[in-house]
Amino acid sequence: MSEISILQDVHERNETLAQTLNQTLSKDTVFTVNVMGAPGIGKTSVIEGLIKRLNAPSAVIEGDIESDIDTKRLQQAGVTTYQINTGGACHLDVPLIADAINVVKPQPNSFLFIENIGNLVCPAEFMIGEHTKLLICAVTDGSDKPYKYPLAFEKAGIIVLNKCDLLPYVDFDEAFFMAGVRALNPSVKVVKVAAKTGAGLDEVAAWLTESMNALS
Amino acid sequence: MSEISILQDVHERNETLAQTLNQTLSKDTVFTVNVMGAPGIGKTSVIEGLIKRLNAPSAVIEGDIESDIDTKRLQQAGVTTYQINTGGACHLDVPLIADAINVVKPQPNSFLFIENIGNLVCPAEFMIGEHTKLLICAVTDGSDKPYKYPLAFEKAGIIVLNKCDLLPYVDFDEAFFMAGVRALNPSVKVVKVAAKTGAGLDEVAAWLTESMNALS
């Protein structure tokens, strides 16, 4: 039973630290978005597209097992980005984020995007100080995801349904997908997006701006 | 430090159990395939397509966080399938598989597919008695996956590059993908597949049959 009690301790300690970090970020109106989604779902593309559309400064903390491909890409686009490599760990946690924030030093009245590890399972379990979780799915990955990975959908503040430019070429049952989403999270906003073309990103950016204004 | 030593113990104990299970499966020539890949990558579709093409009986153990959508689908196609729901856990382990095998009772000279949890990170760390790991990627998910999730690529016995029917509509840099694969796993077989049309699956089935013959 020692393994279980240690796991509970890790979760509880993380929740407490997450609340404290969230209060600090709120005080400075740094609206913090925990971006979650499977590998290759388009997390970096969505973040990049949103930052272009937001009328406030933005910074990004990039979580990856290994590599700094996404960080280099964002830095080339002129975005302040800090890389975390977990070296195998499957999600980010508060101590990693707190260290990153000490380096990034987000400005007051800004957005902070935290791109979590590409994984629909583990990141959903750990708060990292965020004000909202932005969950990304894609029409290329089937319509059954809410049924198979319920926690991520239950905890999402907004859901981006990405790669909608490929809708004509795939079998995606939108009604089945939405029924699964609504059973877990009746009021969550769901936006159809194509990060490749930018379609739908204005609507997501407007929601984030509204949410940030509600904070201050 | 107690967390780290417990984690090491879990890994070591799992490795020992995996070797024992693998020996039992080898004795009966039950060629066991650990199917890994991100959520929505097409794991069930690939398994279903392969089983139709194999000239030996097959059974499937389905790992999911929640839901039995894939099990029902395979059972409707006449495939012997056993469902494991991990209730949150992000990978399968040997005790779960051993229990399932006691129920499934695979025939001698057969294939056993184990569909792991949709996750590119955690399943790569745990052996579950398999003879090979079949890793599935997709051209819709970008060409940088080997760089970002190296362990899964390093450990793969065969890599299926799925959703190739969508190649005309996406930006997939095959040379960059293959350079990443080869750096981690110089000799692994990589097969371009479209599970939707069945293209490429004959080649994967032939490789599995050859591998099973080498076992007996």
Side-chain angles (χ1 to χ4, degrees):
Chain A
M1 300 306 286
S2 59
E3 291 169 39
I4 292 167
S5 65
I6 284 175
L7 191 62
Q8 282 174 337
D9 285 354
V10 169
H11 264 287
E12 275 169 28
R13 181 158 176 272
N14 190 74
E15 289 296 293
T16 309
L17 292 172
Q19 282 171 19
T20 307
L21 180 58
N22 180 266
Q23 285 162 7
T24 308
L25 292 164
S26 296
K27 211 176 58 185
D28 287 340
T29 319
V30 176
F31 189 79
T32 302
V33 186
N34 181 355
V35 182
M36 302 192 308
I41 210 76
K43 292 182 287 301
T44 311
S45 301
V46 167
I47 291 171
E48 198 177 349
L50 287 173
I51 286 176
K52 283 184 198 159
R53 286 164 174 83
L54 290 165
N55 289 319
S58 296
V60 180
I61 297 172
E62 267 294 330
D64 282 293
I65 303 281
E66 294 194 24
S67 101
D68 58 357
I69 293 175
D70 294 338
T71 289
K72 281 185 178 153
R73 173 174 156 192
L74 289 169
Q75 285 174 342
Q76 275 164 10
V79 179
T80 303
T81 309
Y82 180 87
Q83 178 73 51
I84 295 173
N85 283 132
T86 63
C90 50
H91 64 91
L92 299 173
D93 61 17
V94 181
L96 287 171
I97 298 302
D99 286 350
I101 286 175
N102 281 338
V103 179
V104 173
K105 299 192 200 313
Q107 308 175 40
N109 302 302
S110 69
F111 289 95
L112 175 63
F113 292 91
I114 305 174
E115 183 176 331
N116 220 313
I117 304 297
N119 180 339
L120 262 189
V121 185
C122 317
E125 292 177 31
F126 289 83
M127 296 281 287
I128 48 173
E130 72 269 30
H131 294 101
T132 195
K133 292 185 206 293
L134 185 156
L135 173 65
I136 310 183
C137 314
V139 299
T140 47
D141 290 357
S143 30
D144 55 8
K145 295 299 146 298
Y147 303 90
K148 291 181 172 174
Y149 305 90
L151 191 65
F153 286 82
E154 197 185 310
K155 300 225 166 176
I158 182 166
I159 296 175
V160 165
L161 182 58
N162 195 19
K163 307 190 191 180
C164 280
D165 50 314
L166 298 175
L167 263 175
Y169 315 114
V170 296
D171 304 318
F172 182 78
D173 184 340
E174 193 177 335
F176 182 64
F177 175 81
M178 285 307 301
V181 170
R182 288 289 165 243
L184 294 159
N185 197 332
S187 63
V188 68
K189 187 172 182 69
V190 180
V191 187
K192 289 164 91 168
V193 162
K196 196 175 172 179
T197 65
L201 286 176
D202 284 343
E203 195 179 338
V204 181
W207 185 88
L208 289 173
T209 302
E210 207 176 293
S211 305
M212 187 213 229
N213 290 341
L215 194 70
S216 55
Chain B
M1 299 304 287
S2 59
E3 291 167 39
I4 292 168
S5 66
I6 285 174
L7 191 61
Q8 282 173 337
D9 286 352
V10 169
H11 264 287
E12 275 169 28
R13 181 158 177 273
N14 189 73
E15 289 295 294
T16 310
L17 291 172
Q19 283 172 18
T20 307
L21 180 59
N22 181 265
Q23 285 162 7
T24 309
L25 292 164
S26 296
K27 212 176 59 186
D28 288 338
T29 320
V30 176
F31 190 79
T32 303
V33 186
N34 181 356
V35 182
M36 301 190 310
I41 210 77
K43 292 182 288 300
T44 311
S45 302
V46 167
I47 291 171
E48 197 176 350
L50 288 173
I51 287 176
K52 283 184 197 158
R53 286 164 174 82
L54 291 165
N55 289 319
S58 297
V60 180
I61 296 171
E62 265 296 330
D64 281 294
I65 303 282
E66 294 193 25
S67 99
D68 58 357
I69 293 175
D70 295 339
T71 290
K72 282 188 178 152
R73 174 174 155 191
L74 289 168
Q75 285 174 341
Q76 276 165 10
V79 179
T80 303
T81 310
Y82 180 88
Q83 178 73 50
I84 294 173
N85 283 131
T86 64
C90 50
H91 64 90
L92 299 173
D93 61 17
V94 181
L96 287 170
I97 298 303
D99 286 350
I101 286 175
N102 281 338
V103 179
V104 173
K105 298 190 199 315
Q107 308 175 40
N109 301 301
S110 69
F111 289 95
L112 176 63
F113 293 91
I114 304 173
E115 183 176 333
N116 220 312
I117 303 298
N119 180 340
L120 262 189
V121 186
C122 317
E125 292 179 31
F126 290 82
M127 296 280 288
I128 48 174
E130 72 269 30
H131 294 100
T132 196
K133 292 184 206 292
L134 186 156
L135 173 64
I136 310 182
C137 314
V139 299
T140 46
D141 290 356
S143 30
D144 55 6
K145 294 299 147 295
Y147 304 89
K148 290 183 174 173
Y149 305 90
L151 191 64
F153 286 83
E154 196 185 312
K155 301 227 167 174
I158 182 165
I159 296 174
V160 164
L161 182 57
N162 196 20
K163 307 192 191 179
C164 280
D165 51 314
L166 298 175
L167 263 175
Y169 314 113
V170 295
D171 305 318
F172 183 77
D173 184 341
E174 192 177 334
F176 182 63
F177 175 81
M178 285 307 301
V181 171
R182 288 290 165 242
L184 294 160
N185 196 332
S187 62
V188 68
K189 187 172 181 69
V190 180
V191 187
K192 287 163 92 168
V193 161
K196 196 174 173 181
T197 65
L201 287 177
D202 284 343
E203 194 179 339
V204 181
W207 185 89
L208 289 173
T209 301
E210 208 177 290
S211 305
M212 186 212 230
N213 291 341
L215 194 70
S216 56

